Every structure is written in C-alpha cells, then in structure tokens.
Amino acid sequence: VRWVDDELGFVPPDVFIPIAESTGLMQKLGTFIIESSVMQIAHLRQTTDQKIGLSINISVRQFSHKSFSDHLLTVLEKYQLPASCLTLEITESLFIEDVTLVKPIFEALKENDIKISLDDFGTGYSSLSMLKVLPIDELKIDKSFIENITVDLQSLTMVQNIIAIGKNFGMVVLAEGVETNEH
C-alpha cells in the first residue's frame, strides 16, 4: 500500500501505518489490503494460469483482532485462492511481548496451510526464541544487514549466520534490500 497525497506527496508506509494504528484505522485499512490483494492475485492466477503467490504485511493489531483469521479464510474462499499461496509477513518486534496471544493464531493459520514469514529478522530482541516457539516458515533478513555486506565483515557474517539458522530450521530465507550483484 502506498499513499500519494496532493499536499504531502508520497507518504511511505513506515510513516502512515503507525498513524493508522494509533488512530484505530488499521483494522479497516488491513481489511481493504487483504480483500483487494487476494482478489487481484486470484484474478491473475485465473487469467494467466500462473501459480503466483501472495505475501501480505500484517499489523500486529490487525493480526491479533478476534475476527482476523475468520475474515482471512472467508476472503480466500470467496476469491478461490488456495491458502497455500498466501504468506503473512509479521514483524517480530511488534509481538515480542505477547507470544502467548499470537501462538494459537499462528498454529491455526498453519493448520490452514497459510505460511508465516518473520519480517525484518534480526532487528528484534528475541528473534531466536521466536523461531523455537512459533511455527515460522520464512525469515526475511532486514535490509540494514544487506546494504553493508560488501564493506562490513560483521554484516556479512551476520547474514551468513541468519541463512544458516533458517536452513537449520528448514525455513525459506529471503533478503530485503538486494540491489547489486555483490549483495
């Protein structure tokens, strides 16, 4: 989701999402994002015969809302998009304090073949414990680690270690911010 305003110009998600969350609009925005993106990907899959997947960033407020899972499954069924095509990207630092709240939601989604991605991996305080406790399918290495791997040995070592951790847990590992061949 991107916001282009006549007065403000381009407003990036990292600016307007916290505002939507603090004003109580995130639930409506999140519902719109899920509905429109599932509809568009389902349409593309049907008209192109391509097996396109979909990843959606989910706000922790949206994720922990009581109707989230039911709404998501209803939308998937409405547009006939297989749940196995969907990955939900959740930022670990947002739910770090209440793992007991999100664990049953993660498990229910997993039972319905929906994948969970841990976004911005490595930037939170207990990422490793999240891997042990929650059914995570994918790690997304934060771009702050990627952008310096060609000049900073510590960043390179960190990325190599995250890749190894992901592989050891049988997870898909993605890197954000890959901009050059060296990256």
Side-chain angles (χ1 to χ4, degrees), residues 40-79:
Q40 290 175 33
I41 292 299
H43 177 73
L44 278 173
R45 287 174 57 95
Q46 292 163 2
T47 58
T48 65
D49 203 31
Q50 297 292 314
K51 304 301 178 203
I52 301 169
L54 172 64
S55 292
I56 304 174
N57 288 83
I58 301 295
S59 155
V60 70
R61 291 209 173 116
Q62 180 184 4
F63 184 78
S64 57
H65 193 272
K66 61 183 179 193
S67 66
F68 173 75
S69 294
D70 290 339
H71 173 257
L72 180 63
L73 294 171
T74 299
V75 171
L76 291 171
E77 186 176 320
K78 176 180 176 180
Y79 293 106

CSV table of all heavy atoms in Angstrom, one decimal, residues 40-79:
chain,number,residue,atom,x,y,z
A,40,GLN,N,-6.9,-9.5,-6.5
A,40,GLN,CA,-6.1,-9.3,-7.6
A,40,GLN,C,-5.2,-10.5,-8.0
A,40,GLN,O,-5.1,-10.8,-9.1
A,40,GLN,CB,-5.2,-8.0,-7.4
A,40,GLN,CG,-6.0,-6.7,-7.4
A,40,GLN,CD,-5.2,-5.5,-7.0
A,40,GLN,OE1,-4.0,-5.5,-7.3
A,40,GLN,NE2,-5.8,-4.6,-6.3
A,41,ILE,N,-4.6,-11.1,-7.0
A,41,ILE,CA,-3.8,-12.3,-7.2
A,41,ILE,C,-4.6,-13.4,-7.7
A,41,ILE,O,-4.2,-14.1,-8.6
A,41,ILE,CB,-3.0,-12.6,-6.0
A,41,ILE,CG1,-1.9,-11.6,-5.6
A,41,ILE,CG2,-2.3,-14.0,-6.1
A,41,ILE,CD1,-0.9,-11.3,-6.7
A,42,ALA,N,-5.8,-13.6,-7.1
A,42,ALA,CA,-6.7,-14.7,-7.6
A,42,ALA,C,-7.0,-14.5,-9.1
A,42,ALA,O,-7.0,-15.4,-9.9
A,42,ALA,CB,-7.9,-14.8,-6.7
A,43,HIS,N,-7.3,-13.2,-9.4
A,43,HIS,CA,-7.7,-12.9,-10.8
A,43,HIS,C,-6.5,-13.2,-11.7
A,43,HIS,O,-6.6,-13.8,-12.8
A,43,HIS,CB,-8.1,-11.4,-10.9
A,43,HIS,CG,-8.4,-11.0,-12.3
A,43,HIS,ND1,-9.5,-11.4,-13.0
A,43,HIS,CD2,-7.7,-10.2,-13.2
A,43,HIS,CE1,-9.5,-10.9,-14.2
A,43,HIS,NE2,-8.4,-10.2,-14.4
A,44,LEU,N,-5.3,-12.8,-11.3
A,44,LEU,CA,-4.1,-13.0,-12.1
A,44,LEU,C,-3.9,-14.5,-12.3
A,44,LEU,O,-3.5,-15.0,-13.4
A,44,LEU,CB,-2.9,-12.4,-11.5
A,44,LEU,CG,-2.6,-10.9,-11.7
A,44,LEU,CD1,-1.5,-10.4,-10.9
A,44,LEU,CD2,-2.3,-10.7,-13.2
A,45,ARG,N,-4.0,-15.3,-11.2
A,45,ARG,CA,-3.8,-16.7,-11.3
A,45,ARG,C,-4.8,-17.4,-12.3
A,45,ARG,O,-4.5,-18.3,-13.1
A,45,ARG,CB,-4.0,-17.4,-10.0
A,45,ARG,CG,-2.8,-17.1,-9.0
A,45,ARG,CD,-3.0,-17.7,-7.6
A,45,ARG,NE,-3.3,-19.1,-7.6
A,45,ARG,CZ,-2.4,-20.0,-7.4
A,45,ARG,NH1,-1.1,-19.7,-7.2
A,45,ARG,NH2,-2.7,-21.3,-7.4
A,46,GLN,N,-6.1,-16.9,-12.3
A,46,GLN,CA,-7.1,-17.5,-13.1
A,46,GLN,C,-6.9,-17.0,-14.6
A,46,GLN,O,-7.2,-17.8,-15.5
A,46,GLN,CB,-8.5,-17.1,-12.6
A,46,GLN,CG,-8.8,-17.7,-11.3
A,46,GLN,CD,-10.0,-17.0,-10.6
A,46,GLN,OE1,-10.6,-16.1,-11.1
A,46,GLN,NE2,-10.3,-17.5,-9.4
A,47,THR,N,-6.5,-15.8,-14.8
A,47,THR,CA,-6.4,-15.3,-16.2
A,47,THR,C,-5.1,-15.6,-16.9
A,47,THR,O,-5.0,-15.7,-18.1
A,47,THR,CB,-6.7,-13.8,-16.3
A,47,THR,OG1,-5.7,-13.1,-15.5
A,47,THR,CG2,-8.1,-13.5,-15.9
A,48,THR,N,-4.0,-15.9,-16.1
A,48,THR,CA,-2.7,-16.2,-16.7
A,48,THR,C,-2.3,-17.6,-16.6
A,48,THR,O,-1.3,-18.0,-17.1
A,48,THR,CB,-1.6,-15.3,-16.1
A,48,THR,OG1,-1.5,-15.6,-14.7
A,48,THR,CG2,-1.9,-13.8,-16.3
A,49,ASP,N,-3.0,-18.4,-15.8
A,49,ASP,CA,-2.7,-19.7,-15.5
A,49,ASP,C,-1.3,-19.9,-14.8
A,49,ASP,O,-0.6,-20.9,-15.0
A,49,ASP,CB,-2.8,-20.6,-16.7
A,49,ASP,CG,-3.0,-22.1,-16.4
A,49,ASP,OD1,-3.6,-22.4,-15.3
A,49,ASP,OD2,-2.5,-22.9,-17.2
A,50,GLN,N,-0.8,-18.8,-14.2
A,50,GLN,CA,0.4,-18.8,-13.4
A,50,GLN,C,0.2,-19.1,-12.0
A,50,GLN,O,-0.8,-18.6,-11.4
A,50,GLN,CB,1.1,-17.5,-13.6
A,50,GLN,CG,1.5,-17.1,-15.0
A,50,GLN,CD,2.6,-18.0,-15.6
A,50,GLN,OE1,3.6,-18.3,-14.9
A,50,GLN,NE2,2.4,-18.5,-16.8
A,51,LYS,N,1.0,-19.8,-11.3
A,51,LYS,CA,0.9,-20.1,-9.9
A,51,LYS,C,1.6,-19.0,-9.1
A,51,LYS,O,2.6,-19.2,-8.4
A,51,LYS,CB,1.5,-21.5,-9.6
A,51,LYS,CG,0.9,-22.6,-10.4
A,51,LYS,CD,-0.6,-22.7,-10.2
A,51,LYS,CE,-1.2,-23.8,-11.1
A,51,LYS,NZ,-2.6,-23.6,-11.3
A,52,ILE,N,1.0,-17.9,-9.0
A,52,ILE,CA,1.5,-16.7,-8.3
A,52,ILE,C,1.1,-16.8,-6.9
A,52,ILE,O,0.0,-17.1,-6.5
A,52,ILE,CB,0.9,-15.4,-9.0
A,52,ILE,CG1,1.3,-15.3,-10.4
A,52,ILE,CG2,1.5,-14.2,-8.2
A,52,ILE,CD1,0.6,-14.2,-11.2
A,53,GLY,N,2.1,-16.5,-6.0
A,53,GLY,CA,1.9,-16.4,-4.6
A,53,GLY,C,1.7,-15.0,-4.1
A,53,GLY,O,1.9,-14.1,-4.9
A,54,LEU,N,1.3,-14.8,-2.9
A,54,LEU,CA,1.0,-13.5,-2.3
A,54,LEU,C,1.5,-13.4,-0.9
A,54,LEU,O,1.3,-14.3,-0.1
A,54,LEU,CB,-0.5,-13.3,-2.3
A,54,LEU,CG,-1.0,-12.0,-1.6
A,54,LEU,CD1,-0.5,-10.8,-2.3
A,54,LEU,CD2,-2.6,-12.0,-1.5
A,55,SER,N,2.3,-12.4,-0.7
A,55,SER,CA,2.8,-12.1,0.7
A,55,SER,C,2.1,-10.7,1.1
A,55,SER,O,2.2,-9.8,0.4
A,55,SER,CB,4.3,-11.9,0.7
A,55,SER,OG,4.9,-13.2,0.5
A,56,ILE,N,1.6,-10.7,2.3
A,56,ILE,CA,0.9,-9.5,2.8
A,56,ILE,C,1.5,-9.2,4.2
A,56,ILE,O,1.6,-10.1,5.1
A,56,ILE,CB,-0.6,-9.7,3.0
A,56,ILE,CG1,-1.3,-10.2,1.7
A,56,ILE,CG2,-1.2,-8.5,3.6
A,56,ILE,CD1,-2.7,-10.5,1.9
A,57,ASN,N,2.0,-7.9,4.3
A,57,ASN,CA,2.4,-7.5,5.7
A,57,ASN,C,1.2,-7.3,6.5
A,57,ASN,O,0.2,-6.6,6.1
A,57,ASN,CB,3.2,-6.2,5.5
A,57,ASN,CG,4.5,-6.3,4.9
A,57,ASN,OD1,4.7,-6.4,3.7
A,57,ASN,ND2,5.6,-6.5,5.8
A,58,ILE,N,1.3,-7.8,7.7
A,58,ILE,CA,0.1,-7.7,8.6
A,58,ILE,C,0.6,-7.0,9.9
A,58,ILE,O,1.6,-7.3,10.5
A,58,ILE,CB,-0.4,-9.1,9.0
A,58,ILE,CG1,-0.8,-9.9,7.8
A,58,ILE,CG2,-1.5,-9.1,10.1
A,58,ILE,CD1,-2.0,-9.4,7.1
A,59,SER,N,-0.3,-6.0,10.3
A,59,SER,CA,0.0,-5.2,11.5
A,59,SER,C,-0.4,-6.2,12.7
A,59,SER,O,-1.3,-7.0,12.6
A,59,SER,CB,-1.0,-4.0,11.5
A,59,SER,OG,-1.3,-3.6,12.8
A,60,VAL,N,0.3,-6.0,13.8
A,60,VAL,CA,0.1,-6.8,15.0
A,60,VAL,C,-1.3,-6.6,15.5
A,60,VAL,O,-2.0,-7.5,16.0
A,60,VAL,CB,1.1,-6.7,16.1
A,60,VAL,CG1,1.0,-5.3,16.7
A,60,VAL,CG2,1.0,-7.8,17.1
A,61,ARG,N,-1.8,-5.3,15.4
A,61,ARG,CA,-3.2,-5.0,15.9
A,61,ARG,C,-4.2,-5.8,15.0
A,61,ARG,O,-5.2,-6.3,15.5
A,61,ARG,CB,-3.4,-3.5,15.9
A,61,ARG,CG,-2.6,-2.9,16.9
A,61,ARG,CD,-3.2,-1.6,17.4
A,61,ARG,NE,-2.5,-1.1,18.5
A,61,ARG,CZ,-1.8,0.0,18.6
A,61,ARG,NH1,-1.9,0.8,17.5
A,61,ARG,NH2,-1.1,0.4,19.6
A,62,GLN,N,-3.9,-5.8,13.7
A,62,GLN,CA,-4.8,-6.5,12.8
A,62,GLN,C,-4.7,-8.0,13.0
A,62,GLN,O,-5.8,-8.7,13.1
A,62,GLN,CB,-4.4,-6.2,11.4
A,62,GLN,CG,-5.1,-6.8,10.3
A,62,GLN,CD,-4.5,-6.5,8.9
A,62,GLN,OE1,-3.5,-5.8,8.8
A,62,GLN,NE2,-5.2,-6.9,7.9
A,63,PHE,N,-3.5,-8.5,13.2
A,63,PHE,CA,-3.3,-9.9,13.4
A,63,PHE,C,-4.0,-10.5,14.6
A,63,PHE,O,-4.5,-11.5,14.6
A,63,PHE,CB,-1.8,-10.2,13.4
A,63,PHE,CG,-1.4,-11.6,13.5
A,63,PHE,CD1,-1.4,-12.4,12.4
A,63,PHE,CD2,-1.0,-12.2,14.7
A,63,PHE,CE1,-1.1,-13.7,12.4
A,63,PHE,CE2,-0.6,-13.5,14.8
A,63,PHE,CZ,-0.7,-14.3,13.6
A,64,SER,N,-3.9,-9.7,15.7
A,64,SER,CA,-4.5,-10.2,17.0
A,64,SER,C,-5.9,-9.8,17.2
A,64,SER,O,-6.5,-10.2,18.2
A,64,SER,CB,-3.6,-9.6,18.1
A,64,SER,OG,-3.6,-8.2,18.1
A,65,HIS,N,-6.6,-9.2,16.2
A,65,HIS,CA,-8.0,-8.9,16.2
A,65,HIS,C,-8.8,-10.2,16.2
A,65,HIS,O,-8.4,-11.1,15.4
A,65,HIS,CB,-8.4,-8.0,15.1
A,65,HIS,CG,-9.8,-7.4,15.2
A,65,HIS,ND1,-10.9,-8.1,14.8
A,65,HIS,CD2,-10.2,-6.3,15.8
A,65,HIS,CE1,-11.9,-7.3,15.1
A,65,HIS,NE2,-11.5,-6.2,15.7
A,66,LYS,N,-9.8,-10.4,17.0
A,66,LYS,CA,-10.5,-11.6,17.1
A,66,LYS,C,-11.1,-12.2,15.8
A,66,LYS,O,-11.2,-13.4,15.6
A,66,LYS,CB,-11.6,-11.5,18.1
A,66,LYS,CG,-12.7,-10.5,17.8
A,66,LYS,CD,-13.7,-10.3,18.9
A,66,LYS,CE,-14.7,-9.3,18.4
A,66,LYS,NZ,-15.6,-8.7,19.2
A,67,SER,N,-11.4,-11.3,14.8
A,67,SER,CA,-12.0,-11.8,13.6
A,67,SER,C,-11.0,-11.9,12.4
A,67,SER,O,-11.4,-12.3,11.3
A,67,SER,CB,-13.1,-10.8,13.1
A,67,SER,OG,-12.6,-9.6,12.8
A,68,PHE,N,-9.7,-11.7,12.7
A,68,PHE,CA,-8.7,-11.7,11.7
A,68,PHE,C,-8.7,-13.0,10.9
A,68,PHE,O,-8.8,-13.1,9.7
A,68,PHE,CB,-7.3,-11.4,12.2
A,68,PHE,CG,-6.3,-11.6,11.2
A,68,PHE,CD1,-6.1,-10.6,10.2
A,68,PHE,CD2,-5.4,-12.7,11.2
A,68,PHE,CE1,-5.1,-10.8,9.2
A,68,PHE,CE2,-4.5,-12.9,10.2
A,68,PHE,CZ,-4.3,-11.9,9.3
A,69,SER,N,-8.5,-14.1,11.6
A,69,SER,CA,-8.4,-15.5,10.9
A,69,SER,C,-9.6,-15.8,10.1
A,69,SER,O,-9.6,-16.3,9.0
A,69,SER,CB,-8.1,-16.6,11.9
A,69,SER,OG,-6.8,-16.3,12.5
A,70,ASP,N,-10.8,-15.6,10.7
A,70,ASP,CA,-12.1,-15.9,10.0
A,70,ASP,C,-12.2,-15.1,8.8
A,70,ASP,O,-12.6,-15.6,7.7
A,70,ASP,CB,-13.3,-15.7,11.0
A,70,ASP,CG,-13.3,-16.8,12.1
A,70,ASP,OD1,-12.7,-17.8,11.9
A,70,ASP,OD2,-14.0,-16.5,13.1
A,71,HIS,N,-11.9,-13.8,8.9
A,71,HIS,CA,-12.1,-12.9,7.7
A,71,HIS,C,-11.1,-13.3,6.6
A,71,HIS,O,-11.5,-13.4,5.5
A,71,HIS,CB,-11.8,-11.5,8.1
A,71,HIS,CG,-11.8,-10.5,7.0
A,71,HIS,ND1,-10.6,-10.1,6.5
A,71,HIS,CD2,-12.7,-10.0,6.2
A,71,HIS,CE1,-10.8,-9.3,5.4
A,71,HIS,NE2,-12.1,-9.3,5.2
A,72,LEU,N,-9.9,-13.6,7.0
A,72,LEU,CA,-8.9,-14.0,6.0
A,72,LEU,C,-9.3,-15.3,5.3
A,72,LEU,O,-9.3,-15.4,4.0
A,72,LEU,CB,-7.5,-14.3,6.7
A,72,LEU,CG,-6.4,-14.7,5.8
A,72,LEU,CD1,-6.0,-13.6,4.8
A,72,LEU,CD2,-5.2,-15.0,6.7
A,73,LEU,N,-9.8,-16.3,6.0
A,73,LEU,CA,-10.2,-17.6,5.4
A,73,LEU,C,-11.4,-17.3,4.5
A,73,LEU,O,-11.5,-18.0,3.4
A,73,LEU,CB,-10.4,-18.6,6.4
A,73,LEU,CG,-9.2,-19.1,7.2
A,73,LEU,CD1,-9.6,-20.0,8.4
A,73,LEU,CD2,-8.2,-19.8,6.3
A,74,THR,N,-12.3,-16.5,4.9
A,74,THR,CA,-13.5,-16.2,4.1
A,74,THR,C,-13.1,-15.5,2.8
A,74,THR,O,-13.7,-15.8,1.7
A,74,THR,CB,-14.5,-15.2,4.9
A,74,THR,OG1,-14.9,-15.9,6.1
A,74,THR,CG2,-15.7,-14.9,4.1
A,75,VAL,N,-12.2,-14.6,2.8
A,75,VAL,CA,-11.7,-13.9,1.6
A,75,VAL,C,-11.0,-14.9,0.7
A,75,VAL,O,-11.3,-14.8,-0.5
A,75,VAL,CB,-10.8,-12.7,2.0
A,75,VAL,CG1,-10.1,-12.1,0.7
A,75,VAL,CG2,-11.6,-11.6,2.7
A,76,LEU,N,-10.2,-15.7,1.2
A,76,LEU,CA,-9.5,-16.7,0.4
A,76,LEU,C,-10.6,-17.6,-0.3
A,76,LEU,O,-10.4,-17.9,-1.5
A,76,LEU,CB,-8.6,-17.6,1.2
A,76,LEU,CG,-7.3,-16.9,1.7
A,76,LEU,CD1,-6.6,-17.8,2.7
A,76,LEU,CD2,-6.4,-16.5,0.6
A,77,GLU,N,-11.6,-18.0,0.4
A,77,GLU,CA,-12.6,-18.9,-0.2
A,77,GLU,C,-13.4,-18.1,-1.2
A,77,GLU,O,-13.7,-18.6,-2.3
A,77,GLU,CB,-13.5,-19.4,0.9
A,77,GLU,CG,-14.6,-20.4,0.5
A,77,GLU,CD,-15.4,-20.9,1.6
A,77,GLU,OE1,-14.8,-21.2,2.7
A,77,GLU,OE2,-16.6,-21.1,1.4
A,78,LYS,N,-13.8,-16.8,-0.9
A,78,LYS,CA,-14.6,-16.0,-1.8
A,78,LYS,C,-13.9,-15.9,-3.1
A,78,LYS,O,-14.6,-16.0,-4.2
A,78,LYS,CB,-14.7,-14.6,-1.2
A,78,LYS,CG,-15.5,-13.6,-2.0
A,78,LYS,CD,-15.6,-12.3,-1.3
A,78,LYS,CE,-16.2,-11.2,-2.1
A,78,LYS,NZ,-16.3,-9.9,-1.4
A,79,TYR,N,-12.6,-15.7,-3.2
A,79,TYR,CA,-11.9,-15.5,-4.4
A,79,TYR,C,-11.2,-16.8,-4.9
A,79,TYR,O,-10.4,-16.7,-5.9
A,79,TYR,CB,-10.9,-14.3,-4.3
A,79,TYR,CG,-11.6,-13.0,-4.1
A,79,TYR,CD1,-11.6,-12.4,-2.8
A,79,TYR,CD2,-12.3,-12.4,-5.1
A,79,TYR,CE1,-12.3,-11.2,-2.6
A,79,TYR,CE2,-12.9,-11.2,-4.9
A,79,TYR,CZ,-12.9,-10.6,-3.7
A,79,TYR,OH,-13.6,-9.4,-3.5
